[in-house]
Amino acid sequence: MSNLYTIQKRFDTVQSYANHEELLIHILQVYLDSFPIKDAYLLRYSPIGFVAEGIIFLNESGGSHIGEIREEIRSFPIIYAAIEDKKAKFCTGMDYLKNISIKYSIPSQNNSFLIIPIFIGQYVFGYICSTQLEEEIAINEKLLDDMTAFGNVIGQLIMQTRNSKKEGLLSKRELEVMRQVAQGGSTKEIADFMDLSELTITQYVKSAIKKLHARNRSHAISILYQEGIIL
């Protein structure tokens, strides 16, 4: 397993990646290379409705988009606990059967589930989970601590990338609103979450669309994703 310094060095050339998706694939590849894991699911997370949405899956055979995955994470105690505690979690055996979703399940003798929150400070905006481990690997507290640190490194990396893209184009509030729009929040849900009126949220969305020269909300979200401003 690679140490944290080695992992960080592998992201020194992050600006050389052509687009945001290439960066996310690289993140998952570093994860697979650094830990005794055989697969990786990357999901974005929104505290509005406690919703997670799939982005990319990667294993040694290749990768695929997993946009069909959409979960209310309170239905999965281990995922909820990892996000609340901002700490990597692992389960196996009977706990696996209680926590796993069939959407993540690949036929395996391991029956294991690992989740690593992607966060910076108190803000969790995604997670990586795995169901396939290297044989005869024991998941102990030291390894979980290393994985938690990895999630924090990735969180800082993604935030730095976001801040370097379109800096100053959208206001902090506009970015926050559009991030929640991207994660499936309705105008009312976003207004309640941010303690603002629905009219104010609508105005922020309209302003962001105009600044991005987008046709509509979906087009604006696509631009923000491609530029690496949102996960």
Side-chain angles (χ1 to χ4, degrees):
M1 186 192 73
S2 302
N3 61 38
L4 194 58
Y5 175 77
T6 302
I7 290 171
Q8 288 174 321
K9 291 297 289 182
R10 290 192 61 177
F11 294 118
D12 282 352
T13 58
V14 69
Q15 297 299 334
S16 66
Y17 287 90
N19 54 54
H20 188 49
E21 182 169 325
E22 192 173 313
L23 168 62
L24 297 182
I25 291 172
H26 178 64
I27 286 171
L28 292 186
Q29 190 61 64
V30 172
Y31 167 70
L32 292 173
D33 292 345
S34 302
F35 298 105
I37 303 298
K38 294 183 178 180
D39 66 353
Y41 296 80
L42 175 64
L43 298 95
R44 65 172 63 91
Y45 168 72
S46 170
I48 295 179
F50 301 93
V51 173
E53 293 182 321
I55 303 175
I56 296 172
F57 167 79
L58 190 67
N59 64 12
E60 60 184 9
S61 299
S64 62
H65 291 93
I66 52 172
E68 73 279 3
I69 295 180
R70 182 178 171 87
E71 306 285 15
E72 207 275 36
I73 60 99
R74 288 177 295 185
S75 301
F76 302 92
I78 191 172
I79 299 177
Y80 185 65
I83 288 175
E84 286 291 294
D85 297 344
K86 298 166 193 65
K87 180 175 175 56
K89 304 282 185 179
F90 173 73
C91 67
T92 190
M94 289 302 297
D95 285 338
Y96 168 89
L97 297 177
K98 295 175 183 177
N99 281 286
I100 192 66
S101 165
I102 190 65
K103 295 176 185 176
Y104 302 116
S105 184
I106 298 174
S108 167
Q109 296 179 348
N110 291 337
N111 285 347
S112 302
F113 187 78
L114 174 72
I115 171 170
I116 301 171
I118 298 173
F119 67 99
I120 183 167
Q122 297 300 306
Y123 178 43
V124 178
F125 51 91
Y127 61 85
I128 298 171
C129 58
S130 298
T131 62
Q132 301 285 293
L133 281 64
E134 298 287 349
E135 295 181 5
E136 300 180 358
I137 292 295
I139 303 295
N140 54 35
E141 284 302 313
K142 173 62 168 61
L143 184 56
L144 289 176
D145 286 345
D146 289 344
M147 290 175 167
T148 299
F150 177 84
N152 187 224
V153 167
I154 297 309
Q156 294 179 54
L157 170 70
I158 292 174
M159 281 299 184
Q160 289 168 6
T161 305
R162 287 175 178 176
N163 292 339
S164 68
K165 304 282 188 177
K166 303 286 188 183
E167 186 172 3
L169 181 57
L170 299 187
S171 70
K172 182 178 179 181
R173 281 292 199 184
E174 288 166 345
L175 278 173
E176 187 175 357
V177 168
M178 295 306 290
R179 189 171 293 122
Q180 300 304 334
V181 170
Q183 294 172 340
S186 68
T187 300
K188 185 179 186 309
E189 288 173 328
I190 298 170
D192 291 344
F193 178 72
M194 296 182 66
D195 196 23
L196 298 170
S197 71
E198 291 184 48
L199 178 61
T200 299
I201 298 301
T202 299
Q203 290 302 317
Y204 277 132
V205 172
K206 287 182 178 179
S207 176
I209 290 172
K210 182 177 180 180
K211 288 181 179 180
L212 292 168
H213 303 289
R215 296 185 298 274
N216 49 41
R217 286 190 180 201
S218 297
H219 188 209
I221 295 304
S222 176
I223 292 170
L224 291 171
Y225 173 78
Q226 290 170 5
E227 292 291 338
I229 299 172
I230 60 175
L231 179 63

